[in-house]
């Protein structure tokens, strides 16, 4: 008896909740911003500053939710599986172009609706201050001539983005891939510490990550994997200038949503994101923390992400890292 | 319920063997001697040796004793039922949490738990309501833990 | 000097002081509730600290954990139920003292010597950490490997109960540590195609399950009515301790040093420190026959010891990023979140923060005297909340705590699985601590082993190739062989007698 009278009630409640969003203007409740990496890291910092700026733009709280683990698979999956109603967005990082090649997930960049690219950091090349190589060209020659396994590099986990950065460069210079052994580490700072202690010889992470040690005179920046030298590291020439290689890699962060968002919501979000990006607060924050600024709208972002997917996939297949 | 050294040793031994078999699918890092299989295999060998030692010790010292010592509470069916009820309750809670939302599912959970611990019925509802609301406010509102809102009957927070 | 004044300015902010006061009260409450440990007080604080400034977050954890270790003594003295495992060693003595009307002396001694121990440990932390940091800069994966192994083995050999069951617990922890793909090879293991399991088994939900949820289950099974608490007398509680200190200066010092050292040892924490110090006190005492029957000597030494261990545990945590106990295992995660990456460079790069941390430590221990005094007075009320009401409430707290770590229901599921596991383990006399250590140290062990092997091209002898590594390696092996040597020694002694 009781159940029978209860069911229509539930049905009524369900239709009510289903109808309300269409009536009110987006956003009418807090927005969740999923960050697939741990609190305290670079992606988290970008996510949090953006959440704060968007909150000002949209007038509703934007809460950062860290969903970490599995090299980003957990968080990216959470973003893609959320309802595409504009109340869940997330920071999608370059790892989305790597994880499916590794066979970790079916998820690819095609499962997302990219709203904007808000940051990109070029890869770099760093050695210890007391290392014998003064330029990237000298290091390249050593990598070619030394016996395999003599030189070691570190900066991310096995098959991580900086590992791929090094492999991509080596392929472009025709250096046999087995010549340099990769020592997996928990992030660039662990790799840099190990390099200073003498455990490894080079770290191909972004120069920003080595800023403290470069400033302290313990680490030398040899090159930047970008077209132009970076403002903060004028002594590190672009790779093309240093060795003649065409290899380039930037690690980017995008704001994305699950596929299938309504157009009006999409337009509103994109406009808010662009405004947030252009704000002085965001620009100052990024410069202070040493993050690279890079803007791309929805179409450009989607294109860059797809291009990098192909590039990284090719390297991973070549290196035997793809499944 | 307390397993003797023989029973626990046998379990450890079997677990070790299973772990070792499962670890064989992993391979070393390219160009290296060690890799993903190293830790599980070492742990598996540890478990196998440990299981054997416990088996031998048990066979030596536990002759005539039962494999499994039944403690007082384990003879009481009611206790088992309570234990099972609590476990199933939390499991169901996990399944419905995202759908039903934190507030309602927690209310039901705390109320049933209070009933299981034989709290006076008149106290159950007040305690449950106050607890859930305080937790919801402290963690959900103030500390921004994204407690699920649920798809039906969700409160305006 | 300017960094020091900056640090003072950081700490003596009304917000920070407020946080310390509140978290102190929180720690006292959690520690005083039987079954809720200091570790759990810390774990429950983690989601809260997410939203705090770095110093506030650290202040909250330091204050809460120190208070919880002390307040675990209160229900021990009043009810003969230790509030935390660290208070278990001397519970007979303190309870007997209360029974025979010497309650104020017992509680006062526990409070005062907790403070003394905590401050001693802090001073060692302040003085020794930067020195140790210098040494640690030379540490590579080879040294860390031995350090982690040392921590794992120390836990087994010192933990009470049978060695084989301790090892079973360790195996359980290590198996759990294998799950996921966040290992040096980035190859997914035992994930059964589950996306959440790719991230591995999160340690805090597992720990909440093993300790707290298992306790809820135990209550469902063994739930019994608690005897009515004894009313504590607080008159002259603190003043009378001068005489005690004068009578047992050596014991106090020994407790301080032992506690700090054991705390600093990776993997061994306040509970182990208390057991060892109590045993040591009895061994060297002139009146060992009085121990366990209401003698204050053991309280002095072990009470100082467990609180100095809380501070000592921070030494390896800060210097090496290796947890000294299960509390600092959580702390390290929080430090990373707050951008204070532990490691030898923290003393250079974050000098202001580190000094502020030291000030917080001293302040927290001093704060213990007034707060502890209030807690003892209030304890009758706290302990009067019936467990039948407390347990369901604790369950909800556990759920929220576990949820907040993964920000998904996955954390709660993990907690449930480990709660059932913890209950089964406890019923079978399998200690929990080694399992936790296996889960925490297992990934570190693997990381350092694999990277070492890549660096040395697979040559195992390299583990003895550097002087510090060789020293640590030999130490570990000696500790492994110790039980055998002791057994031989004992056998000969018996044969001679």
């Amino acid at each position: 008896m009781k159940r029978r009278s209860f069911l229509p009630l539930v049905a009524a409640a369900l239709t009510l909740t289903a109808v309300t969003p269409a009536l009110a203007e987006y956003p009418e409740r807090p927005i969740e911003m999923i960050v697939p990496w741990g609190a305290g890291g670079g992606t988290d910092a970008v996510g949090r500053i953006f959440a704060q700026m968007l909150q000002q733009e949209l007038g509703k709280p934007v809460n950062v939710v860290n969903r970490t683990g599995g090299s980003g698979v957990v968080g990216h999956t959470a973003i893609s599986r959320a309802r595409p109603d504009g109340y869940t967005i997330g920071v999608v990082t370059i790892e989305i172009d790597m994880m499916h090649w590794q066979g970790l997930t079916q998820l690819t960049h095609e499962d997302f609706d990219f709203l904007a690219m808000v940051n990109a950091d070029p890869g770099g090349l760093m050695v210890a201050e007391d290392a014998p190589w003064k330029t990237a060209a000298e290091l390249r020659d050593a990598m070619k001539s030394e016996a395999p396994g003599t030189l070691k590099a570190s900066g991310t986990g096995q098959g991580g983005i900086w590992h791929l950065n090094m492999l991509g460069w080596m392929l472009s210079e025709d250096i046999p891939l087995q010549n340099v052994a990769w020592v997996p580490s928990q992030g660039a700072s662990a790799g840099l510490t190990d390099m200073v202690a003498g455990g490894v010889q080079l770290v191909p992470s972004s120069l920003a990550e080595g800023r403290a040690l470069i400033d302290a005179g313990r680490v030398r920046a040899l090159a930047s994997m970008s077209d132009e030298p970076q403002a903060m590291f004028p002594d590190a020439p672009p790779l093309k200038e240093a060795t003649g290689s065409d290899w380039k890699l930037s690690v980017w962060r995008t704001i994305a949503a699950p596929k299938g968002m309504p157009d009006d919501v999409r337009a509103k979000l994109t406009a808010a994101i662009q405004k947030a990006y252009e704000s002085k607060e965001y620009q100052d924050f990024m410069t202070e923390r040493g993050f690279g600024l890079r803007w791309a709208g929805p179409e450009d972002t989607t294109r860059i992400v797809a291009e990098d997917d192909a590039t990284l996939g090719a390297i991973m297949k070549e290196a035997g890292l793809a499944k | 319920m307390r397993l003797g050294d023989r029973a626990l040793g046998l379990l450890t031994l079997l677990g070790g063997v299973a772990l070792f078999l499962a670890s064989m699918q992993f391979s070393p890092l390219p160009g290296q001697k060690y890799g993903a299989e190293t830790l599980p295999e070492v742990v598996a060998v540890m478990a196998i040796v440990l299981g054997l030692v416990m088996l031998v010790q048990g066979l030596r010292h536990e002759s005539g004793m039962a494999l499994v010592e039944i403690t007082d509470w384990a003879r009481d069916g009611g206790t088992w039922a309570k234990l099972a009820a609590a476990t199933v309750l939390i499991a169901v809670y996990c399944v419905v949490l995202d759908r039903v939302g934190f507030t309602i599912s927690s209310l039901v959970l705390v109320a049933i738990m209070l009933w299981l611990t034989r709290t006076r019925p008149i106290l159950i509802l007040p305690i449950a309501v106050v607890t859930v609301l305080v937790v919801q406010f402290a963690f959900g509102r103030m500390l921004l833990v994204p407690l699920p809102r649920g798809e039906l009957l969700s409160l305006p927070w | 000097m300017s960094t020091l004044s900056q640090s003072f300015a950081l700490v003596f902010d009304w917000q920070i002081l407020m946080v310390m006061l509140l978290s102190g009260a929180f720690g006292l409450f959690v520690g005083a509730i039987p079954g809720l440990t200091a570790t759990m007080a810390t774990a429950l604080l983690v989601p809260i600290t997410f939203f705090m400034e770095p110093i506030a977050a650290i202040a909250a954890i330091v204050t809460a954990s120190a208070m919880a270790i002390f307040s675990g003594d209160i229900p021990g003295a009043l009810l003969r139920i230790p509030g935390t495992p660290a208070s278990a060693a001397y519970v007979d003595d303190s309870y007997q003292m209360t029974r025979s009307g010497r309650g104020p002396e017992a509680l006062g001694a526990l409070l005062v010597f907790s403070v003394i121990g905590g401050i001693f440990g802090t001073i060692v932390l302040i003085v020794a950490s930067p020195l140790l940091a210098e040494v640690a800069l030379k540490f590579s994966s080879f040294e860390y490997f031995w350090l982690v192994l040392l921590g794992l083995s120390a836990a087994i050999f010192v933990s009470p109960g049978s060695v084989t069951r301790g090892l079973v617990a360790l195996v359980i922890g290590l198996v759990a540590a294998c799950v996921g793909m966040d290992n040096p090879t980035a190859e997914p293991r035992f994930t059964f195609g589950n996306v959440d399991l790719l991230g591995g088994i999160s340690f805090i939900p597992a720990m909440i399950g093993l300790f707290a949820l298992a306790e809820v289950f135990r209550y469902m099974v063994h739930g019994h009515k608690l005897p009515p608490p004894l009313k504590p007398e607080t008159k002259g509680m603190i003043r009378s301790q001068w005489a005690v200190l004068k009578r047992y200066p050596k014991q106090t010092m020994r407790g301080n040093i032992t506690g700090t050292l054991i705390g600093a040892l990776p993997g061994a924490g306040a509970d182990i420190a208390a057991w060892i110090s109590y045993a040591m006190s009895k061994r060297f005492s002139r009146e060992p026959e009085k121990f366990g029957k209401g003698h204050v000597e053991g309280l002095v030494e072990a009470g100082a010891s467990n609180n100095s261990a809380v501070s000592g545990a921070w030494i390896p945590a800060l210097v090496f990023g290796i947890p000294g106990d299960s509390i600092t295992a959580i702390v390290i995660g929080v430090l990373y979140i707050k951008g204070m990456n532990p490691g030898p460079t923290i003393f250079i790069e974050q000098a202001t923060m580190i000094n502020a941390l030291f000030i917080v430590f001293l302040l927290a221990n001093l704060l213990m005297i007034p707060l502890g005094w209030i807690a003892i007075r209030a304890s009758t009320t706290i302990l009067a909340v019936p467990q039948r009401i407390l347990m369901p409430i604790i369950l909800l707290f556990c759920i929220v705590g576990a949820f907040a770590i993964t920000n998904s229901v996955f954390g709660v599921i993990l907690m449930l699985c480990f709660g059932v596991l913890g209950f089964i383990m406890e019923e079978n006399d399998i200690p929990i601590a080694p399992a936790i250590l296996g889960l925490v140290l297992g990934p570190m062990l693997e990381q350092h082993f694999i990277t070492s092997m890549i660096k040395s091209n697979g040559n195992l002898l390299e583990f003895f190739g550097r002087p510090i590594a060789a020293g640590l390696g030999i130490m570990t092996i000696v500790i492994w062989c110790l039980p055998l040597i002791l057994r031989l020694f004992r056998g000969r002694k018996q044969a001679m007698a």
Side-chain angles (χ1 to χ4, degrees):
Chain A
M1 268 310 277
K2 249 185 181 166
R3 182 183 271 173
R4 207 172 288 164
S5 57
F6 184 61
L7 270 177
L9 230 155
V10 172
L14 272 172
T15 37
L16 247 168
T17 30
V19 169
T20 7
L23 297 173
E25 200 184 344
Y26 171 87
E28 52 140 5
R29 58 178 166 95
I31 295 169
E32 208 164 81
M33 171 113 128
I34 297 180
V35 171
W37 303 94
T43 306
D44 183 60
V46 171
R48 277 177 203 278
I49 182 83
F50 239 95
Q52 197 188 322
M53 311 292 312
L54 281 180
Q55 190 163 326
Q56 286 168 20
E57 287 303 320
L58 297 169
K60 280 278 180 263
V62 179
N63 302 326
V64 171
V65 175
N66 299 93
R67 295 290 304 270
T68 61
S71 293
V73 177
V74 174
H76 283 104
T77 308
I79 300 172
S80 75
R81 283 189 189 163
R83 238 186 243 201
D85 53 7
Y87 290 102
T88 310
I89 54 175
V91 184
V92 169
T93 60
I94 194 164
E95 279 75 12
I96 191 64
D97 284 348
M98 295 152 59
M99 52 180 76
H100 69 101
W101 295 110
Q102 280 165 282
L104 296 173
T105 171
Q106 304 286 324
L107 198 68
T108 70
H109 60 95
E110 285 172 2
D111 295 305
F112 296 91
D113 212 338
F114 288 93
L115 301 172
M117 180 173 290
V118 295
N119 145 263
D121 291 302
L125 203 53
M126 287 177 273
V127 295
E129 188 57 37
D130 51 11
W133 316 288
K134 306 292 175 208
T135 66
E138 283 175 43
L139 178 63
R140 176 199 57 199
D141 296 341
M143 283 162 82
K144 273 187 180 162
S145 58
E146 295 281 348
T150 323
L151 287 175
K152 289 162 191 93
S154 184
T156 51
Q158 174 78 9
I161 185 63
W162 300 133
H163 188 192
L164 297 189
N165 183 32
M166 183 186 77
L167 294 175
W169 175 47
M170 289 170 76
L171 285 173
S172 78
E173 304 264 17
D174 288 324
I175 307 170
L177 292 186
Q178 68 274 16
N179 274 17
V180 181
W182 186 259
V183 179
S185 76
Q186 311 268 7
S189 69
L192 286 161
T193 314
D194 205 7
M195 183 167 80
V196 172
V200 299
Q201 284 73 44
L202 70 133
V203 172
S205 75
S206 81
L207 299 179
E209 287 167 299
R211 187 162 70 150
L213 286 165
I214 293 173
D215 291 346
R218 306 291 292 267
V219 163
R220 191 185 308 142
L222 295 184
S224 163
M225 270 82 173
S226 52
D227 289 326
E228 304 287 329
Q230 298 176 45
M232 212 176 303
F233 308 98
D235 296 340
L239 191 67
K240 176 91 183 160
E241 204 175 289
T243 71
S245 160
D246 283 323
W247 174 249
K248 267 185 303 194
L249 178 77
S250 279
V251 171
W252 38 255
R253 298 184 173 104
T254 66
I255 310 284
K259 201 102 190 174
M261 229 183 349
D263 283 338
D264 56 327
V265 173
R266 193 168 193 269
K268 189 154 186 184
L269 261 177
T270 315
I273 291 170
Q274 181 151 13
K275 235 174 153 186
Y277 177 87
E278 283 160 2
S279 70
K280 190 174 175 308
E281 245 175 297
Y282 180 72
Q283 303 273 329
D284 287 351
F285 174 84
M286 296 299 274
T287 320
E288 248 165 57
R289 296 275 309 239
F291 291 124
L293 285 158
R294 167 84 177 270
W295 172 260
E299 291 75 27
D300 284 339
T301 307
T302 312
R303 183 181 47 80
I304 298 168
V305 171
E307 279 170 13
D308 279 355
D309 189 64
T311 317
L312 293 173
I315 296 172
M316 291 173 80
K317 278 186 196 140
E318 190 79 29
L321 289 164
K323 281 263 156 69
Chain B
M1 280 285 266
R2 186 183 185 277
L3 297 178
D5 275 0
R6 277 170 298 173
L8 191 60
L10 189 65
L11 273 181
T12 313
L13 178 66
L14 291 178
V17 172
L19 183 66
F20 196 92
L21 292 178
S23 311
M24 296 205 324
Q25 55 173 310
F26 308 127
S27 46
L29 281 168
Q32 303 292 334
K33 279 198 228 166
Y34 306 94
E37 83 293 358
T38 312
L39 181 68
E41 282 183 9
V42 169
V43 176
V45 171
M46 225 174 109
I48 291 169
V49 173
L50 180 64
L52 285 175
V53 169
M54 288 183 86
L55 260 180
V56 171
Q57 275 184 353
L59 288 173
R60 249 197 234 158
H61 301 294
E62 287 178 353
S63 56
M65 282 157 65
L67 269 179
V68 177
E69 193 187 322
I70 311 280
T71 34
D72 288 343
W73 69 265
R75 289 200 193 88
D76 179 10
T79 316
W80 279 104
K82 258 208 265 179
L83 207 56
T87 314
V88 170
L89 186 62
I90 304 173
V92 171
Y93 179 90
C94 291
V95 174
V96 303
L97 183 62
D98 277 326
R99 198 66 53 87
V100 179
F102 177 81
T103 322
I104 294 173
S105 23
S106 301
L107 213 59
V108 175
L109 176 86
V110 175
I112 299 184
M113 280 302 284
L114 283 167
W115 178 71
L116 281 176
T117 59
R118 299 186 183 196
T119 308
R120 292 222 318 269
I122 192 152
L123 288 175
I124 289 181
L125 213 58
I127 295 176
V129 169
V130 170
T131 311
V132 171
L133 288 184
V134 166
V135 167
Q136 169 100 52
F137 181 76
F139 288 86
R141 267 327 264 299
M142 290 176 60
L143 300 170
L144 299 177
V145 175
L147 299 171
R149 299 168 70 252
E151 286 167 19
L152 36 126
L153 299 171
S154 52
L155 293 166
W157 52 43
Chain C
M1 217 56 223
S2 72
T3 57
L4 201 59
S5 57
Q6 269 176 351
S7 315
F8 269 104
L10 270 180
V11 176
F12 287 94
D13 174 272
W14 69 269
Q15 270 181 327
I16 306 277
L17 297 177
M18 204 60 213
V19 163
M20 288 184 74
L21 213 61
L22 286 177
S23 49
F26 171 75
L28 285 171
F29 178 75
V30 171
I33 295 175
L36 295 192
T37 61
T39 315
M40 196 191 159
T42 317
L44 279 178
L45 269 180
V46 170
I48 302 177
T49 56
F50 267 26
F51 308 99
M52 293 179 179
E53 294 290 309
I55 279 300
I58 306 241
I61 290 176
V62 168
T63 319
S65 58
M67 299 289 174
I69 291 287
F70 156 67
S71 73
D73 296 344
I74 300 176
L78 299 180
L79 299 169
R80 207 168 164 272
I81 301 175
T84 69
S87 311
Y90 43 79
V91 69
D92 282 327
D93 277 301
S94 59
Y95 184 64
Q96 287 305 328
M97 285 178 76
T98 313
R99 285 258 99 159
S100 56
R102 290 159 68 209
E105 195 189 339
L107 285 166
L110 288 167
L111 176 56
V112 169
F113 289 94
S114 287
V115 173
I116 293 177
I119 290 180
F120 180 89
T122 307
I123 292 172
V124 174
L125 174 69
I126 296 173
V127 176
S129 305
L131 293 177
L132 268 173
E134 285 294 311
V135 181
L137 264 175
K138 300 192 181 73
F139 270 41
S140 71
S141 53
F142 297 99
E143 285 83 7
Y144 278 112
F145 171 79
W146 286 117
L147 218 53
V148 172
L149 208 56
L150 201 62
L152 278 176
S153 21
I156 289 300
F157 292 120
V158 190
S159 72
S162 100
V163 174
T164 45
R165 295 204 175 220
L167 281 168
V168 170
L170 183 66
V171 166
I172 291 173
L174 287 172
V175 171
C178 289
V179 176
M181 63 158 292
D182 289 332
N183 59 63
T185 60
E187 190 171 334
R189 285 190 301 221
F190 311 127
T191 58
F192 310 105
N194 179 309
V195 169
D196 284 307
L197 276 178
L198 275 180
I201 289 177
S202 213
F203 144 72
I204 291 174
M207 199 191 57
I208 294 178
L210 284 173
F211 282 115
L213 185 59
E215 185 65 33
V216 173
F217 284 144
R218 261 197 300 288
Y219 175 77
M220 308 290 292
V221 169
H222 303 293
H224 50 271
K225 245 190 140 210
L226 296 175
L230 295 163
K231 193 145 185 91
E233 284 288 329
T234 41
K235 225 162 68 195
M237 190 171 79
I238 312 271
R239 228 171 308 131
S240 63
Q241 297 312 318
W242 284 116
V244 180
L245 179 60
K246 255 184 251 162
R247 196 152 24 118
Y248 300 116
K250 213 164 69 191
Q251 282 79 351
T252 313
M253 209 53 205
R254 206 164 51 205
N256 283 340
I257 296 172
T258 314
T260 312
L261 283 180
I262 291 175
L265 213 61
D271 41 352
I272 293 168
W275 282 105
I276 290 187
S277 280
Y278 186 79
M280 219 175 225
S281 188
K282 191 173 171 183
R283 172 84 179 71
F284 290 112
S285 172
R286 258 175 277 160
E287 21 191 23
E289 70 283 356
K290 285 192 183 169
F291 275 71
K293 292 168 192 146
H295 191 47
V296 79
E297 191 176 347
L299 295 191
V300 167
E301 185 155 347
S305 177
N306 60 17
N307 270 85
S308 58
V310 172
S311 310
W314 282 66
I315 298 174
L318 286 178
V319 177
F320 305 105
I322 288 180
D325 60 4
S326 43
I327 296 171
T328 40
I330 305 171
V331 164
I332 289 174
V334 174
L335 287 174
Y336 271 114
I337 289 167
K338 298 299 170 195
M340 292 176 71
N341 295 2
T345 46
I346 195 174
F347 297 92
I348 307 157
E349 289 170 7
Q350 312 258 9
T352 319
M353 296 295 249
I354 285 293
N355 284 329
L357 190 150
F358 291 153
I359 298 168
V360 163
F361 252 107
L362 288 174
L363 211 58
N365 279 297
L366 290 175
L367 200 63
M368 201 189 289
I369 293 181
L371 280 185
W373 189 81
I374 296 170
I376 294 172
R377 305 259 353 205
S379 52
T380 20
T381 339
I382 297 174
L383 291 169
V385 177
Q387 286 203 334
R388 63 176 51 178
I389 293 175
L390 216 48
M391 284 301 166
I393 297 177
I394 288 171
L395 174 64
L396 191 62
F397 270 96
C398 295
I399 287 175
V400 174
F403 182 94
I405 298 303
T406 57
N407 279 324
S408 68
V409 77
F410 180 64
V412 187
I413 298 171
L414 271 186
M415 178 196 80
L416 175 60
C417 297
F418 277 85
V420 173
L421 182 67
F423 176 77
I424 295 172
M425 286 169 72
E426 200 88 1
E427 287 296 314
N428 285 289
D429 293 327
I430 302 172
I432 301 289
I436 290 281
L437 282 163
L439 187 51
V440 175
L441 294 179
M444 296 171 91
L445 188 72
E446 183 177 30
Q447 169 81 18
H448 294 308
F449 179 79
I450 299 286
T451 50
S452 298
M453 284 301 93
I454 294 173
K455 287 183 206 162
S456 67
N457 297 321
N459 181 2
L460 283 169
L461 281 177
E462 281 290 309
F463 278 113
F464 297 93
R466 298 157 59 112
I468 305 176
L472 286 169
I474 289 164
M475 209 159 110
T476 314
I477 291 169
V478 166
I479 288 184
W480 280 10
C481 300
L482 211 59
L484 277 179
I485 299 167
L486 280 178
R487 196 172 291 174
L488 280 177
F489 191 68
R490 241 183 257 151
R492 193 180 291 169
K493 225 175 172 181
Q494 270 168 6
M496 270 160 65

